[in-house]
């Protein structure tokens, strides 16, 4: 028996060490993030857990206490098989959980609205107010198979699998996808937000510490999902300007043909930088009309809203039943743009 105990002790220590390593105890990012939105989300998790422990801890303690007190060998414990009700006990059993549920519901309702990803930021951090004159940095995100493409419309550049933002500056992410639904997630920055083809989601966030943080896809999207990672750089204003200038100096042009080649599935794509971006490319990606002659989704919806086929015939376009072909897309779009320009003039 003595030898058995000696051999088991190191095994248990090894198992505990492995469990700690696999659980990521060395850096609990969700509870210790570098961004204010993620910090508020982490605090919400902690508060909800503590509220639930108000019930869980006493229940565990009383379970162990009752098991010990009413063990078979304890003949002094009072045993009353006819006992069936206690008003005081019933009040405690029902009132305390009810109050906790009410508190959790209130916290969840407030947190859901306060941390709405579409809601613009109302502060930089818990100790720093938001300057109303600061314009958020807009970053347009496209999830691809299996990589991330980032547009910087204000700076006129784009990157693949690398994104950067100045510390303490609000960020507005606008996100879409090429083919497959995905999820954009930087644990240090904010909660995850889904990306979907033909649709745009938004995420408002801020990074409060300089550093390099991990970004990932948190929604399975096929064979290359495991390598769909990127680096998020939190930089000072000066370093961010240098990062932009480096992309403009070293990058190539991102035009329609380059994008179509980039959109083909590839795994573990290296970082790429583009010094220039074709005008309106993100909008074409969002509306699924990058290919030559393909009608954009917003044009299709404008036709449907105006009356569909009847509207086109009334406008003098005798088109076949399927009006969304490469052959007739240009004429339909030209009609829509002409009418839009006429409407704008009429309003003025």
């Amino acid at each position: 028996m003595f030898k058995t105990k000696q051999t088991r002790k190191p095994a248990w220590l090894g198992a505990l060490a492995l469990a700690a390593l696999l659980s990521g105890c060395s850096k609990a990012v969700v509870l210790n993030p570098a961004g204010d939105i993620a910090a508020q989300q982490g605090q919400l998790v902690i508060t909800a857990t503590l509220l639930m422990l108000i019930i869980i801890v006493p229940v565990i303690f009383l379970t162990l206490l009752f098991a010990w007190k009413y063990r078979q060998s304890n003949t002094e414990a009072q045993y009353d098989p006819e006992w069936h009700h206690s008003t005081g006990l019933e009040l405690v059993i029902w009132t305390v959980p009810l109050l906790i549920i009410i508190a959790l519901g209130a916290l969840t309702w407030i947190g859901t609205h306060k941390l709405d990803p579409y809601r613009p930021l109302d502060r930089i951090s818990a100790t720093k107010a938001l300057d109303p004159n600061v314009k958020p940095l807009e970053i347009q995100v496209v999830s691809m198979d299996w990589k991330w493409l980032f547009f910087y419309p204000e700076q006129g550049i784009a990157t693949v699998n690398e994104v950067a933002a100045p510390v303490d500056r609000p960020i507005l992410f606008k996100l879409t996808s090429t083919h497959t639904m995905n999820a954009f997630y930087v644990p240090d920055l904010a909660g995850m937000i889904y990306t979907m083809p033909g649709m745009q989601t938004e995420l408002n966030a801020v990074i409060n510490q300089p550093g390099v943080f991990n970004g990932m896809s948190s929604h399975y999207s096929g064979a290359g999902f495991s390598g769909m990672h990127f680096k998020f750089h939190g930089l000072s204003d000066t370093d961010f300007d240098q990062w932009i200038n480096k992309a403009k100096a070293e990058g190539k042009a991102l035009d329609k043909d380059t994008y179509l080649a980039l959109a083909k599935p590839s795994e573990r794509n290296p970082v790429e930088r583009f010094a220039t971006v074709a005008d309106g490319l993100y909008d074409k990606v969002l509306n699924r009309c990058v290919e030559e002659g393909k009608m954009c989704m917003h044009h299709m919806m404008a036709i449907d809203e105006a009356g569909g086929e009847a509207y086109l015939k009334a406008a003098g376009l005798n088109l076949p039943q399927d009006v969304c072909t490469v052959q007739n897309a240009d004429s339909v779009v030209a009609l829509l743009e002409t009418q839009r320009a006429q409407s704008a003039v009429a309003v003025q």
Side-chain angles (χ1 to χ4, degrees):
M1 290 296 292
F2 178 78
K3 290 184 178 180
T4 303
K5 289 182 179 180
Q6 286 293 98
T7 55
R8 284 183 178 179
K9 186 175 180 181
W12 277 108
L13 291 175
L16 289 173
L18 179 61
L21 179 63
L22 294 176
S23 62
C25 292
S26 60
K27 185 181 180 183
V29 176
V30 175
L31 301 181
N32 186 32
D36 183 60
I37 296 297
Q40 293 182 67
Q41 293 170 339
Q43 186 59 49
L44 184 61
V45 171
I46 293 174
T47 303
T49 302
L50 292 175
L51 281 172
M52 290 183 284
L53 286 175
I54 294 175
I55 287 295
I56 294 173
V57 172
V59 168
I60 293 175
F61 173 76
L62 290 174
T63 300
L64 297 175
L65 177 63
F66 290 168
W68 175 81
K69 183 176 181 180
Y70 295 104
R71 65 193 186 278
Q72 187 175 6
S73 60
N74 186 10
T75 58
E76 297 180 357
Q78 183 179 357
Y79 175 64
D80 184 4
E82 301 299 326
W83 182 90
H84 64 280
H85 180 74
S86 171
T87 302
L89 187 59
E90 289 286 343
L91 287 173
V92 172
I93 290 175
W94 289 103
T95 303
V96 176
L98 182 61
L99 293 175
I100 292 174
I101 291 172
I102 292 173
L104 283 172
L107 284 172
T108 303
W109 189 88
I110 294 171
T112 299
H113 289 79
K114 185 178 180 181
L115 300 175
D116 182 355
Y118 284 78
R119 179 180 178 180
L121 300 185
D122 54 11
R123 73 181 200 185
I124 295 299
S125 67
T127 58
K128 188 172 183 180
L130 176 67
D131 184 351
N133 297 320
V134 173
K135 181 182 177 182
L137 172 67
E138 182 177 329
I139 302 176
Q140 298 164 340
V141 184
V142 181
S143 62
M144 312 176 81
D145 298 331
W146 288 272
K147 48 192 169 285
W148 294 93
L149 175 62
F150 301 96
F151 293 95
Y152 285 78
E154 182 181 341
Q155 290 75 19
I157 68 164
T159 59
V160 173
N161 285 346
E162 184 182 57
V163 61
V167 172
D168 288 343
R169 179 177 176 181
I171 311 169
L172 171 59
F173 292 100
K174 295 183 177 180
L175 308 100
T176 189
S177 182
T178 52
H179 302 102
T180 307
M181 185 173 75
N182 222 301
F184 174 86
Y185 186 34
V186 182
D188 272 286
L189 187 67
M192 71 175 186
I193 188 76
Y194 277 90
T195 64
M196 291 162 280
M199 299 181 67
Q200 178 175 278
T201 52
E202 294 184 8
L203 176 67
N204 286 273
V206 63
I207 195 73
N208 300 119
Q209 300 175 19
V212 181
F213 310 101
N214 292 321
M216 69 187 77
S217 166
S218 55
H219 182 93
Y220 181 73
S221 57
F225 161 76
S226 60
M228 198 171 171
H229 296 269
F230 62 92
K231 294 296 183 183
F232 179 91
H233 299 266
L235 305 173
S236 64
D237 291 338
T238 302
D239 290 340
F240 179 72
D241 291 338
Q242 292 177 356
W243 184 82
I244 294 294
N245 292 333
K246 182 178 180 181
K248 290 182 177 181
E250 300 177 359
K252 50 189 177 180
L254 180 59
D255 53 19
K256 179 188 64 177
D257 294 332
T258 305
Y259 169 81
L260 292 175
L262 186 65
K264 295 178 181 178
S266 62
E267 298 185 24
R268 303 186 184 278
N269 211 76
V271 172
E272 295 184 55
R273 299 181 180 91
F274 300 94
T276 60
V277 179
D279 291 338
L281 182 58
Y282 172 78
D283 289 331
K284 290 184 178 180
V285 174
L286 173 61
N287 286 284
R288 303 180 64 77
C289 57
V290 179
E291 295 85 348
E292 187 69 32
K294 188 173 182 180
M295 183 178 289
C296 296
M297 288 183 60
H298 66 282
H299 287 138
M300 295 182 191
M301 290 185 284
I303 293 171
D304 290 340
E305 184 181 10
E309 184 181 4
Y311 158 74
L312 293 175
K313 288 183 177 180
L317 292 177
N318 295 318
L319 301 175
Q321 187 71 25
D322 183 6
V323 299
C324 300
T325 62
V326 173
Q327 289 74 22
N328 56 50
D330 291 340
S331 58
V332 175
V333 171
L335 171 65
L336 293 172
E337 295 298 337
T338 300
Q339 293 200 349
R340 181 182 299 174
Q342 292 174 351
S343 300
V345 172
V347 171
Q348 293 176 356

